[in-house]
Amino acid sequence: MNLTLKFGGNELLQGKFDQGMETLYKAHYYEIKQDTYIVFAHDMYINKNHHSVSLAIIEIMPKENGTTMLYTEHVVDGTLSEKVTSSHKTGASIHFDRIEEIFFKNRSIYKKRDL
């Protein structure tokens, strides 16, 4: 995994599964505002074939007793089926766990954007 979580940063994640399927996740971070939101787009490849493209926003809402995260994703995927949707949710869940680790436990990842 290669991750640069900052304005203009990229993420690259490759996977190979027992059945031989290979995945490649490529993301680009367009906007990050501390304690507010992350805006990014990502492409998903399966066995070297382009599978889907998404535009996503993660909204961060600090609360008195914790933090609320709202994830909104617009997916363009010509193969949406119950199986694919379930797989997509599983992949998103894994990313949420990584975001929690990076975003909430290691506050040093924030980079100020030069305007």
Side-chain angles (χ1 to χ4, degrees):
M1 178 183 80
N2 182 2
L3 171 64
T4 305
L5 186 57
K6 66 177 187 176
F7 171 76
N10 295 295
E11 181 176 8
L12 183 65
L13 181 63
Q14 294 177 289
K16 186 167 185 173
F17 298 87
D18 292 339
Q19 303 84 4
M21 180 177 70
E22 294 183 23
T23 60
L24 176 62
Y25 170 90
K26 292 181 175 183
H28 182 78
Y29 293 91
Y30 287 94
E31 191 68 53
I32 298 176
K33 185 171 181 185
Q34 185 171 343
D35 296 330
T36 307
Y37 58 80
I38 301 173
V39 179
F40 63 102
H42 61 88
D43 289 280
M44 187 67 181
Y45 295 83
I46 297 177
N47 296 327
K48 299 182 181 175
N49 295 309
H50 189 260
H51 181 267
S52 62
V53 62
S54 297
L55 175 63
I57 184 167
I58 300 170
E59 297 177 75
I60 309 298
M61 296 161 272
K63 304 287 183 187
E64 187 174 314
N65 296 324
T67 302
T68 298
M69 180 180 83
L70 176 64
Y71 180 75
T72 305
E73 181 177 14
H74 300 277
V75 181
V76 176
D77 179 348
T79 62
L80 281 180
S81 67
E82 190 172 311
K83 182 179 178 183
V84 171
T85 302
S86 175
S87 175
H88 190 85
K89 287 179 183 178
T90 300
S93 179
I94 292 167
H95 286 287
F96 294 155
D97 291 343
R98 289 191 8 252
I99 287 167
E100 179 182 19
E101 181 71 28
I102 293 167
F103 210 42
F104 298 112
K105 295 180 182 174
N106 181 5
R107 312 264 315 161
S108 67
I109 59 93
Y110 293 113
K111 305 285 184 193
K112 296 250 184 211
R113 176 180 170 190
D114 296 326
L115 298 177

